[in-house]
Amino acid sequence: MDFNSFIGNQAVISQLQALFRQNKIAHAIMLDGAAGLGKKALANIIAQAAVCRHREDGTPCGDCSNCKKAEKGIHPDISFPEKSGILQTYSIATIRDVRTDAYVAANEAFTKVYIFADVDNMGVPAQNAFLKILEEPPKNVMFILTCESAFNVLATIRSRVQLFSLSPVSSAELQTYLAKNFPEQPAEHLKNICEVAKGNIGLALDLITAEGHSKSSELAEKLAFSLASMNEFDLLTVAAQVLENKKDFIFVLKFLSDLLRDALVLSADFSIAEISECAKILAEKLSTVQLLRLIDVVAQTKGYVERNVNLQILSTDFCSKMFQISVNAG
């Protein structure tokens, strides 16, 4: 993979290529953006470009021995410092080891590269230790840092890195990418994934499997049946099954919204070519007003999930609101 094959964020890619082409790339780069936008992949491309001996128009050639080793993840001059502890973050000891190692000459390339992932999870003491080497970096050493939000990193570190923020790709780019790479998948399935992923390629790839699709659809139907039967215990039990994973929760909410909307169409006496038994039951048990209110709650909850609200608290609130609507007609 190289800069030219990276999907989306073309302004960032063009800037990086120009910096490499002009030999003006910074000694420390920070990539920030939500999980799934390709920070890890881009960090690897930048590292490969840094060790490549024959860059072409600012992008790694892909043919030299350095490129081939970098692509396989075995280049001796590209390091991934280890995380430790319950929080799986970088310790002060690890940072000190990197500081010492950074002054040792590269083995095969002109540049040594250290890739630190999720630095917004790094403790303040470790960040302060890391700051020392950023202030007086060794020659021919590059640090690549990734995080979900640069504002969770000390301002002193932000001031010493070149920041590149990644954004979701356009809907058209994502649809084209999925259609090209997963031609065996039904068009409607890919359309649903694009709607849920909102330009997040990583999320789309996680949701592309038939297993994930089937599981989410099944859980959504169980939620719907619990609403139709006004069974609060079942509602809470099913909701608890998606608490551990934000992505699963979002996809379940998408399927539930589709079921509720199908039921709403039926309750308005419109026909649908293909309608699930679950949607029929919802239309029989719940009024149009109830269905509209439930759809609103699902949409609000999905928005909260995307904004990283605590899933435990959110699930409780979601179940409470949905149950109250299902038992109170009108």
Side-chain angles (χ1 to χ4, degrees):
M1 190 173 186
D2 58 28
F3 288 127
N4 295 323
S5 60
F6 190 80
I7 307 298
N9 289 280
Q10 288 309 300
V12 170
I13 297 304
S14 296
Q15 188 177 0
L16 285 166
Q17 284 180 295
L19 290 170
F20 272 112
R21 189 164 53 245
Q22 300 163 15
N23 291 317
K24 292 182 178 179
I25 197 74
H27 74 279
I29 289 175
M30 180 179 288
L31 306 174
D32 88 332
L37 296 184
K39 297 188 298 295
K40 179 180 178 180
L42 185 54
N44 288 333
I45 295 172
I46 295 171
Q48 183 177 333
V51 300
C52 176
R53 291 184 178 273
H54 308 292
R55 287 194 297 269
E56 299 174 358
D57 195 30
T59 197
C61 69
D63 294 323
C64 69
S65 61
N66 283 340
C67 276
K68 291 179 179 179
K69 289 181 180 180
E71 287 178 349
K72 295 178 181 178
I74 58 173
H75 199 290
D77 296 319
I78 299 177
S79 302
F80 301 84
E82 292 187 4
K83 298 179 180 180
S84 60
I86 298 176
L87 297 179
Q88 279 297 289
T89 187
Y90 300 103
S91 66
I92 295 178
T94 295
I95 301 301
R96 288 172 178 166
D97 288 342
V98 169
R99 280 163 45 188
T100 300
D101 184 70
Y103 285 95
V104 178
N107 291 284
E108 298 178 12
F110 294 127
T111 303
K112 294 182 73 172
V113 183
Y114 297 89
I115 300 178
F116 289 83
D118 308 314
V119 294
D120 42 358
N121 193 35
M122 187 188 295
V124 172
Q127 289 190 52
N128 282 325
F130 189 41
L131 180 61
K132 294 180 180 179
I133 197 169
L134 290 181
E135 290 175 327
E136 298 179 7
K139 202 173 181 182
N140 298 325
V141 171
M142 174 184 286
F143 299 100
I144 304 175
L145 293 66
T146 72
C147 61
E148 291 202 19
S149 174
F151 291 101
N152 291 330
V153 180
L154 291 178
T156 46
I157 287 183
R158 294 202 307 271
S159 67
R160 288 167 174 80
V161 302
Q162 193 165 20
L163 176 63
F164 297 92
S165 296
L166 301 188
S167 305
V169 303
S170 69
S171 178
E173 285 177 312
L174 182 56
Q175 289 186 38
T176 299
Y177 174 80
L178 293 180
K180 178 180 179 180
N181 289 277
F182 302 95
E184 75 285 356
Q185 293 288 342
E188 188 62 27
H189 179 35
L190 296 182
K191 180 182 177 182
N192 283 336
I193 288 175
C194 286
E195 290 179 8
V196 173
K198 292 188 178 298
N200 188 310
I201 291 183
L203 175 56
L205 293 176
D206 284 345
L207 298 173
I208 200 72
T209 63
E211 179 182 355
H213 181 281
S214 177
K215 178 183 177 182
S216 297
S217 178
E218 180 182 338
L219 289 173
E221 288 196 353
K222 288 182 178 179
L223 285 174
F225 281 127
S226 65
L227 290 171
S229 62
M230 303 177 192
N231 189 319
E232 187 174 19
F233 177 78
D234 284 351
L235 183 63
L236 289 166
T237 301
V238 176
Q241 296 181 48
V242 292
L243 280 182
E244 299 300 321
N245 193 306
K246 167 185 170 181
K247 297 172 184 177
D248 288 346
F249 203 173
I250 290 176
F251 215 38
V252 168
L253 290 173
K254 170 63 174 68
F255 278 113
L256 179 58
S257 179
D258 288 344
L259 286 171
L260 292 169
R261 291 180 187 280
D262 284 350
L264 182 63
V265 172
L266 282 179
S267 69
D269 294 327
F270 289 101
S271 61
I272 301 178
E274 295 184 12
I275 189 71
S276 68
E277 191 63 31
C278 183
K280 291 178 182 178
I281 293 175
L282 285 172
E284 292 173 0
K285 299 290 185 178
L286 302 173
S287 69
T288 299
V289 172
Q290 285 174 302
L291 290 170
L292 285 169
R293 291 175 64 193
L294 289 170
I295 290 171
D296 284 342
V297 172
V298 171
Q300 290 171 5
T301 303
K302 183 170 175 287
Y304 288 138
V305 175
E306 291 170 345
R307 292 196 290 275
N308 295 315
V309 173
N310 181 281
L311 291 186
Q312 185 75 50
I313 297 174
L314 184 59
S315 176
T316 301
D317 179 69
F318 167 75
C319 291
S320 175
K321 289 179 179 177
M322 297 291 278
F323 180 70
Q324 289 303 315
I325 293 171
S326 70
V327 297
N328 293 311

